[in-house]
Amino acid sequence: MHPNRQVNVNTESVDNYLKAILALSGPEERSVSSTALAQHLGVAPASITNMLQKLASAQPSYVEYEKRRGVRLSPQGKRRALEVLRHHRLIETFLYNVLDYPIEEVHEEAERLEHFISERFEERISAKLGHPKFDPHGHCIPTIDGRMPKQASKPLTSLEQDGSFVVDSVADQDAILLKRLKAHGISPGTRIQVTKRSPQELSLLAGRPLRVLRLSRALADAVRVRSAE
Ligand SMILES: [Zn+2]
């Protein structure tokens, strides 16, 4: 059902709140504090409280919210958040694969379009793309029935052992970082080997033919990897 019929605020901001809570609660689905949410959305804490109360009192509710314990998605909230995320990631894949958008531009475009496409349009995009499982950043696309497989990856900057790894995903939000990663030839599927780390940067062997790369911490923070075995 359309959120506007239940909560007297616009769909786009409802969707953005639900998506933010989904992202911040992580695979463990822990509760999210209003402070974390305010930071993530760039909104004043007072408006956060106000909106969360509306989302909690909708029938059926989108979230479970207690000021001291933070907020969690209700089953309906989670369903909607995953649906918007599915739209987002399918649109990104479509823009990248079919319309030849550069990787660093698809996220912003998808942020706008994700709220408005119909179920039919979503299904057509998915079929056209051969029902992809991953978007161009390497993130899982939630299934049509609202499931999202967990990805066993870890931040490149958290690696303690040497060895071979494969880039699992790259953060989608920062166009400048994405452009830099692209220039270094780093994208989902790239094999890498960490050869040296310092507080400021990581040295890697990557690509074909193998080259030595030096990534700043900020850049390396945008990359998640999994073991190559
Ligand atoms: Zn995105």
Side-chain angles (χ1 to χ4, degrees), residues 106-122:
V106 298
H107 174 77
E108 217 194 308
E109 197 79 277
E111 283 286 291
R112 280 192 288 268
L113 295 169
E114 65 189 12
H115 311 285
F116 305 112
I117 66 169
S118 67
E119 296 314 290
R120 177 158 186 252
F121 193 77
E122 169 200 313

Side-chain angles (χ1 to χ4, degrees), residues 94-114:
F94 184 73
L95 294 172
Y96 185 72
N97 290 10
V98 180
L99 301 184
D100 301 324
Y101 271 59
I103 182 86
E104 68 274 16
E105 288 177 20
V106 298
H107 174 77
E108 217 194 308
E109 197 79 277
E111 283 286 291
R112 280 192 288 268
L113 295 169
E114 65 189 12

Side-chain angles (χ1 to χ4, degrees), residues 82-199:
L82 285 168
E83 192 185 339
V84 179
L85 200 59
R86 175 173 163 81
H87 289 180
H88 182 98
R89 293 180 172 171
L90 278 173
I91 292 168
E92 287 186 333
T93 312
F94 184 73
L95 294 172
Y96 185 72
N97 290 10
V98 180
L99 301 184
D100 301 324
Y101 271 59
I103 182 86
E104 68 274 16
E105 288 177 20
V106 298
H107 174 77
E108 217 194 308
E109 197 79 277
E111 283 286 291
R112 280 192 288 268
L113 295 169
E114 65 189 12
H115 311 285
F116 305 112
I117 66 169
S118 67
E119 296 314 290
R120 177 158 186 252
F121 193 77
E122 169 200 313
E123 191 39 45
R124 295 299 280 260
I125 287 185
S126 180
K128 187 75 168 174
L129 296 168
H131 303 293
K133 291 197 166 67
F134 298 95
D135 74 14
H137 306 107
H139 296 128
C140 268
I141 300 175
T143 60
I144 192 137
D145 53 352
R147 280 174 302 113
M148 187 162 64
K150 295 195 166 68
Q151 287 179 266
S153 64
K154 47 196 164 186
L156 177 54
T157 45
S158 77
L159 293 183
E160 270 155 26
Q161 75 279 39
D162 294 331
S164 286
F165 296 89
V166 173
V167 174
D168 190 67
S169 64
V170 292
D172 65 354
Q173 313 206 345
D174 190 325
I176 293 169
L177 289 186
L178 275 172
K179 232 174 147 169
R180 288 201 192 127
L181 286 173
K182 185 167 77 176
H184 282 303
I186 302 263
S187 61
T190 308
R191 281 179 169 259
I192 57 170
Q193 216 178 314
V194 182
T195 52
K196 220 164 74 191
R197 17 178 117 65
S198 77

